[in-house]
Amino acid sequence: MRTEDLEFKEIEHKFVLDAAFDVLRFREALAALGSASTRAIRVRDCYYLIEGGLERRFVIRHRFDAELHHLTIKSIETDTEVRDEINLDLGHHAGDQAARVDAFMARMGVQWSGTLHKDVEVWYFPDCEVVYYVASTDSRTVRCVEFEATRRDSLADALKIVEKFERATGCDGLIRSRLSLPQLLFPELSEKLAGRA
């Protein structure tokens, strides 16, 4: 894939962590790489599956946190390594617009929706964004790390960047999840999507 073909692509690897994962060692490994900046934030993501979303293979996410206020289309793939991600920046000038987004989405025929919260630590490198988070709904919790290539000269180069950070942090021996976060936390969504895979 050429660079212009990757403009609206997310290229990342996600790992679901068990209780044995050493977060302190992970943080130390990232610090040794000399990250440009770090951030800890709380994120709220509301996902919507609208009419046509199953057939056209996408969900819509409304994200609001201290840094971002986005409405996003994310493609549904059998593997989340490479997928479409198109963000519209809603800005913070009007505050959280959850009620307006809900009303907007309702006009599109919402078939399912679910909200999750994430406590996130982010390390921003020039070519990669590394994230550790605990995500939860009312009934489920999952801990993950994600490595997303932010420099995407080609698909091969982006995957090399992701793999470089996996090796540097000791995550290269973990089993990569091919499911999206809402699929992990909302079994009813995962069932709907599995029926259309």
Side-chain angles (χ1 to χ4, degrees):
M1 284 187 176
R2 301 168 305 173
T3 303
E4 56 269 19
D5 296 332
L6 299 174
E7 181 180 1
F8 298 115
K9 296 289 185 190
E10 176 183 60
I11 302 167
E12 74 174 20
H13 286 175
K14 177 191 349 305
F15 299 93
V16 177
L17 308 173
D18 61 22
F21 184 77
D22 189 340
V23 179
L24 181 58
R25 197 176 108 231
F26 179 74
R27 290 179 182 129
E28 289 170 349
L30 288 168
L33 295 173
S35 66
S37 64
T38 61
R39 185 89 178 198
I41 55 175
R42 180 135 172 103
V43 176
R44 187 201 65 228
D45 286 340
C46 186
Y47 287 86
Y48 303 88
L49 181 62
I50 64 170
E51 291 176 7
L54 282 177
E55 292 79 18
R56 300 194 59 203
R57 310 292 297 160
F58 71 89
V59 293
I60 298 176
R61 179 188 69 198
H62 177 222
R63 169 167 287 172
F64 185 76
D65 62 42
E67 289 184 346
L68 301 174
H69 191 192
H70 283 171
L71 195 60
T72 303
I73 289 181
K74 295 179 81 79
S75 64
I76 299 165
E77 308 293 345
T78 54
D79 184 346
T80 59
E81 182 176 63
V82 180
R83 61 186 175 156
D84 295 343
E85 181 178 272
I86 304 165
N87 292 300
L88 298 177
D89 189 350
L90 301 181
H92 282 90
H93 64 282
D96 184 3
Q97 297 181 55
R100 290 179 185 271
V101 170
D102 281 344
F104 182 88
M105 297 307 300
R107 294 291 183 148
M108 296 185 178
V110 174
Q111 303 296 304
W112 172 89
S113 70
T115 300
L116 60 87
H117 293 88
K118 296 195 291 191
D119 291 306
V120 178
E121 291 179 63
V122 187
W123 291 262
Y124 300 100
F125 294 89
D127 54 356
C128 190
E129 186 175 290
V130 180
V131 183
Y132 165 79
Y133 60 84
V134 178
S136 58
T137 66
D138 292 339
S139 59
R140 288 186 159 63
T141 299
V142 67
R143 288 189 319 146
C144 298
V145 294
E146 292 180 1
F147 302 88
E148 181 179 351
T150 54
R151 192 179 76 226
R152 300 179 300 267
D153 297 328
S154 71
L155 178 56
D157 287 344
L159 290 173
K160 284 179 189 173
I161 290 166
V162 167
E163 291 161 2
K164 173 184 77 172
F165 282 88
E166 290 171 5
R167 278 191 307 278
T169 58
C171 291
D172 55 328
L174 300 176
I175 296 172
R176 182 172 64 83
S177 174
R178 286 165 165 68
L179 297 175
S180 66
L181 184 58
Q183 287 173 284
L184 292 170
L185 287 173
F186 298 105
E188 67 277 17
L189 175 64
S190 195
E191 289 171 17
K192 284 179 182 286
L193 299 176
R196 292 299 187 103

